[in-house]
Amino acid sequence: MQRNLILVVHGIGEQTPGQTIDALTGGAIRELGLPGPVESRTEMIAEDRPGDRQLRLFPCHIRRTTLPAGHVGQAEEQEVLAGEVYWSDLSPAPRGAVATGLDLLRTVLTLGYLALDNVSQSVEPAHRWIRALVHLFVWIFYALIAPMNALLLLGSILMLTDSFIIRLGPDTLQGATLMAMLGAIAVALHLVWRYRLRRPESSYLERCFMAGIGGLGALTLIAGLMVRLALPDRPELAVIDLNNPQAYMPAIPREPPFWLDWLRKASCGSVDLTACWNPAYQDIAALLWAFTMLMALTWLAAVAVLLAMFVISAVTDLGGLRTAALAGVPLSVILAIQLSPDLPRLLLLLGLLIAAGAVFAAWVARQGGDALGRMTRLFGRRARIYLPICNAMLFLWMLISAAIWSIFAELIHKLDGPQGGQTLLSQLYADYSGLATSTMSYIVFGVAGLIVAGVVPLLIRQRRKEALALDPDSWLDVWCGRIILNPVLNLLLMFLILWIAFGGALQAVRTGFDVLGIAYRPWNSDTLIGGLIRFHETIKTYNPMAIALVGMAGVAAYRAADFVSSALGVARDISVYSARTLAYSPDTPEGRSAYASRQRIKARFHSVLAHLSRQYPHDRLIVIAHSQGTVIAARALQEVGPTETPTFLVTMGSPLTHIYGQYFANGFDMADLPRQTRRWINIYRCDDFVGTEVRLPGDKVENHRVAPGGHTGYWTDAHVWMTVRKILGITS
């Protein structure tokens, strides 16, 4: 009798313990005609974590059955023991609307790990300046943008004291004192985390975020104390006449220092601040204004880093002259249109542009496939995805955070009751809601542009899905084979970031004029600047509509928090698998960074294999995995190395070589794995947007294509089991 040990590794998403092995067992009973009975049991296995006092257990669902001789094409009786490698609990889904919203923001942040890995592990090494800029951009997000939003949320909660505990004012609790308390709380949180909660496996995101909380908290504490000590209404000591001790001279009011006077004038003059009308709120309004200006500079710095990455990438790929030409042509067109004095000359200019476009199209047609191939290699170099990932981080954060703050502002309005607008928090939100949503219309128009542009490759993909994924090197697969990583959408996303930055920059210019005391007057409407200002004002008129749309989207997400949480399961599992403990590459000899969660998942695979091998000596090992589970299984089998026990690997919907092997080649080189397996069978669907063929040198992987069906449901797909019967040689 031959004894077979089967390990099942599930993919990404909200998997429950035993769900995958039950699907496999049910499909095998139905499609392979297993005679049964199938014994079922669950064992708890301890993770290998020597430093922990408490054992960390995870469930292993086990199924056992016997197949008679002659069944499924086997000459002798077969005994099968199957166990599930469960790891979905390492990225648990949040519960509730607030937790889901925070998890959504965290998921956007963790995209930075993918950008870091792409520049450090790509088969084509990125320019050293690109690597430095990607690290800088991710650090800005982790250590500045995210902590700033967290401090704003914490400060908003703390300012509710003005509504429910004590009214702020000179005779009770100064606003600057409240800000100092906020900074002290942030510093205390940082110290507690640093000395009590931090672990060696703490992620880079967590480390940077808490460092940002501590640093910004310290700045807030210092600023609050400085303003509090410099307030002119602070009680002064009376002057005593030494010749007449019974006589007291009244205290002379102390003038505020110049920097506080400037800060008050700048904050109350730059925007129409409601809080400035109340003298008790002027100090906290000034501090919040300074904090808002710091946030604006941080956003501009992030956009500047993105632009620098784009320019360096273009120069390294195209050369300086071609980059200048590509950038100069659209700028020249814009200038020519803006400076055109009359309609006839404008029409002449447009005619020349159309003629130039026709000449370029004719040249491309004469070049044939070579020109298209060069364009594909230029714009479709999908091995480098750090720029679209960073663009997506900025774009999604602006969209999601704006929706969350809109909901929070509505909540504050309801807390104020029917006579709202009286508390400090409501007044501050009334002051700064316009600044926070000044680019909202740009964001909404950008989302609409992405949706419209994404429809074209989506339609082409649906019509040509039979041909896609069969030739990953073809131009059709490059331009239409993927949606998220589509090069056209990636380029459009970069333009959208610049589009949003344009609105923010114009708003910043106006605010800067007010702060510096420069008399602002609109430029001549016939100039380029005047046209841009006029265009900006036109776009801003759509802000109410954009805010309403974003608010409705936020309310819908709030109402469907469980659905959003489940949908985030895919992105959450990928980000958990890619999370680092430090910023720089863990593959360098001097690097101290590690993938703590990835190592923990692989350790579970090894624990299940060792546990079942001890209690069930077997003649051969069969590993069956789906989606992200194929990556986990392949990496774990690489670490096991060659063994005397024949090993068979079955992968379904695998992203192993065309995603992980393409974007993170140095960390997922699987060229030696086929030599460690007796047989490697890969099953994929032609329309699977995640999994396709597994291509390795020597063509040692057996790729089998099944009918369309997307990425899910492989375990219970009749077409998949039909392919399995064909592979096993079962004719009936």
Side-chain angles (χ1 to χ4, degrees):
M1 181 175 65
Q2 191 175 47
R3 298 164 65 87
N4 304 276
L5 175 60
I6 298 178
L7 293 186
V8 179
V9 189
H10 65 76
I12 54 182
E14 295 302 313
Q15 303 284 340
T16 57
Q19 176 183 344
T20 301
I21 197 169
D22 284 341
L24 175 65
T25 304
I29 291 175
R30 172 65 175 81
E31 299 296 330
L32 299 183
L34 298 186
V38 178
E39 301 176 5
S40 175
R41 73 176 190 269
T42 302
E43 297 183 6
M44 302 301 294
I45 300 178
E47 295 189 53
D48 185 15
R49 301 174 69 86
D52 292 347
R53 177 179 177 181
Q54 296 290 330
L55 294 178
R56 300 191 184 184
L57 306 176
F58 67 94
C60 178
H61 287 254
I62 302 171
R63 306 291 182 265
R64 185 169 184 170
T65 190
T66 301
L67 306 179
H71 194 76
V72 296
Q74 301 295 330
E76 59 179 312
E77 187 179 43
Q78 303 285 320
E79 186 176 9
V80 178
L81 180 73
E84 181 186 57
V85 179
Y86 180 68
W87 57 273
S88 183
D89 60 315
L90 298 181
S91 56
R95 294 292 180 263
V98 176
T100 300
L102 295 178
D103 186 66
L104 188 61
L105 293 175
R106 180 180 176 276
T107 302
V108 173
L109 287 175
T110 50
L111 292 175
Y113 291 125
L114 303 180
L116 291 174
D117 280 356
N118 183 240
V119 295
S120 63
Q121 298 185 0
S122 176
V123 66
E124 299 177 356
H127 192 276
R128 68 177 185 274
W129 284 106
I130 291 292
R131 293 196 297 270
L133 288 173
V134 169
H135 280 76
L136 176 61
F137 179 84
V138 173
W139 183 87
I140 288 175
F141 246 90
Y142 287 2
L144 291 178
I145 293 178
M148 283 179 176
N149 281 269
L151 281 182
L152 280 178
L153 179 61
L154 182 61
S156 299
I157 296 174
L158 197 61
M159 288 177 192
L160 289 175
T161 57
D162 189 56
S163 303
F164 301 106
I165 301 177
I166 185 174
R167 283 287 182 179
L168 299 183
D171 299 328
T172 54
L173 180 64
Q174 289 280 1
T177 304
L178 190 66
M179 294 294 287
M181 291 170 57
L182 171 64
I185 293 174
V187 172
L189 290 175
H190 170 77
L191 294 177
V192 170
W193 173 84
R194 182 179 182 85
Y195 295 106
R196 293 292 183 182
L197 302 178
R198 188 175 66 171
R199 298 290 184 267
E201 63 269 19
S202 296
S203 67
Y204 179 55
L205 167 58
E206 184 180 358
R207 292 170 184 267
C208 287
F209 178 79
M210 293 308 301
I213 288 290
L216 293 173
L219 289 178
T220 305
L221 174 61
I222 294 173
L225 291 177
M226 288 179 61
V227 172
R228 177 65 184 89
L229 295 175
L231 287 176
D233 55 352
R234 180 170 173 261
E236 302 291 339
L237 295 177
V239 179
I240 302 175
D241 188 353
L242 297 179
N243 297 324
N244 186 7
Q246 302 300 322
Y248 290 87
M249 297 179 61
I252 301 175
R254 182 162 57 90
E255 293 295 328
F258 75 94
W259 59 268
L260 180 58
D261 186 57
W262 176 88
L263 186 62
R264 280 183 167 180
K265 291 180 180 179
S267 61
C268 293
S270 60
V271 290
D272 187 15
L273 291 177
T274 308
C276 287
W277 301 346
N278 190 335
Y281 295 160
Q282 287 181 359
D283 52 343
I284 199 169
L287 286 172
L288 185 58
W289 177 86
F291 189 83
T292 305
M293 293 300 103
L294 179 61
M295 287 190 66
L297 291 176
T298 303
W299 278 107
L300 291 178
V303 174
V305 172
L306 282 179
L307 183 59
M309 279 194 284
F310 181 76
V311 171
I312 294 176
S313 299
V315 171
T316 54
D317 289 342
L318 302 177
L321 294 178
R322 293 181 180 178
T323 301
L326 287 177
V329 168
L331 289 178
S332 300
V333 171
I334 293 175
L335 282 172
I337 292 175
Q338 288 292 332
L339 298 177
S340 181
D342 49 36
L343 182 61
R345 296 188 185 183
L346 177 61
L347 294 177
L348 177 62
L349 173 63
L350 294 177
L352 292 175
L353 291 175
I354 294 174
V359 171
F360 178 74
W363 176 80
V364 172
R366 287 195 303 271
Q367 296 293 321
D370 292 340
L372 186 59
R374 286 197 295 271
M375 293 175 63
T376 298
R377 289 190 295 272
L378 175 61
F379 294 104
R381 296 180 67 179
R382 295 181 297 157
R384 298 181 181 179
I385 57 170
Y386 54 85
L387 191 57
I389 287 177
C390 294
N391 290 335
M393 288 178 63
L394 190 65
F395 189 79
L396 292 175
W397 180 274
M398 294 178 70
L399 178 63
I400 297 170
S401 62
I404 292 177
W405 283 113
S406 297
I407 295 176
F408 194 81
E410 184 65 22
L411 177 63
I412 294 302
H413 178 72
K414 290 182 178 180
L415 287 177
D416 271 353
Q419 298 179 351
Q422 303 301 316
T423 64
L424 169 62
L425 189 58
S426 61
Q427 291 186 28
L428 291 177
Y429 265 86
D431 296 337
Y432 289 100
S433 59
L435 293 178
T437 58
S438 60
T439 58
M440 187 67 72
S441 55
Y442 287 90
I443 297 175
V444 171
F445 281 118
V447 172
L450 279 177
I451 294 174
V452 172
V455 168
V456 176
L458 182 62
L459 293 177
I460 296 175
R461 177 181 174 82
Q462 288 298 113
R463 292 179 59 88
R464 301 294 302 273
K465 61 184 178 182
E466 293 288 345
L468 290 173
L470 296 180
D471 185 10
D473 297 328
S474 70
W475 67 270
L476 179 64
D477 184 71
V478 170
W479 293 97
C480 303
R482 295 289 177 266
I483 300 299
I484 298 176
L485 301 176
N486 185 278
V488 176
L489 296 184
N490 295 344
L491 190 61
L492 177 61
L493 193 58
M494 184 67 211
F495 289 150
L496 291 180
I497 296 299
L498 299 178
W499 157 267
I500 296 173
F502 162 76
L506 287 180
Q507 193 71 33
V509 168
R510 292 191 167 191
T511 302
F513 276 16
D514 292 332
V515 171
L516 298 176
I518 300 176
Y520 173 78
R521 63 181 183 84
W523 285 280
N524 190 303
S525 60
D526 295 332
T527 64
L528 172 63
I529 298 298
L532 293 178
I533 291 292
R534 195 166 61 250
F535 175 76
H536 175 64
E537 293 297 333
T538 302
I539 294 294
K540 283 183 63 178
T541 59
Y542 294 97
N543 263 349
M545 179 193 68
I547 295 172
L549 290 175
V550 171
M552 287 189 293
V555 171
Y558 176 82
R559 297 294 184 184
D562 292 339
F563 172 79
V564 174
S565 174
S566 299
L568 282 176
V570 174
R572 190 186 310 110
D573 288 341
I574 293 176
S575 63
V576 165
Y577 189 72
S578 304
R580 292 183 179 186
T581 57
L582 291 174
Y584 39 88
S585 175
D587 298 320
T588 57
E590 68 278 2
R592 292 182 291 113
S593 183
Y595 298 94
S597 297
R598 183 181 303 181
Q599 293 170 354
R600 190 175 175 185
I601 294 172
K602 285 192 299 182
R604 284 195 177 187
F605 183 96
H606 295 308
S607 297
V608 172
L609 177 58
H611 178 77
L612 296 182
S613 297
R614 285 192 299 268
Q615 62 179 249
Y616 184 77
H618 50 279
D619 301 311
R620 62 178 177 178
L621 171 66
I622 303 173
V623 179
I624 307 175
H626 169 248
S627 187
Q628 182 78 7
T630 65
V631 181
I632 296 168
R635 290 293 300 268
L637 288 177
Q638 271 189 319
E639 292 187 356
V640 172
T643 61
E644 296 181 357
T645 304
T647 301
F648 297 81
L649 178 60
V650 180
T651 54
M652 299 181 294
S654 175
L656 193 55
T657 56
H658 73 285
I659 292 183
Y660 282 92
Q662 182 169 345
Y663 305 130
F664 321 111
N666 295 336
F668 294 90
D669 185 5
M670 297 294 162
D672 62 334
L673 185 55
R675 293 193 296 268
Q676 301 174 208
T677 60
R678 182 69 60 88
R679 195 177 181 187
W680 185 346
I681 300 169
N682 179 63
I683 301 173
Y684 69 99
R685 294 172 177 147
C686 60
D687 66 335
D688 190 337
F689 63 93
V690 174
T692 182
E693 292 183 330
V694 174
R695 293 191 172 189
L696 294 174
D699 294 329
K700 295 183 179 181
V701 180
E702 304 174 29
N703 288 287
H704 298 270
R705 182 167 66 97
V706 299
H711 181 62
T712 60
Y714 274 87
W715 305 99
T716 53
D717 187 350
H719 292 282
V720 172
W721 285 104
M722 188 184 304
T723 303
V724 172
R725 289 198 300 268
K726 181 180 178 181
I727 294 171
L728 297 177
I730 304 173
T731 56
S732 58

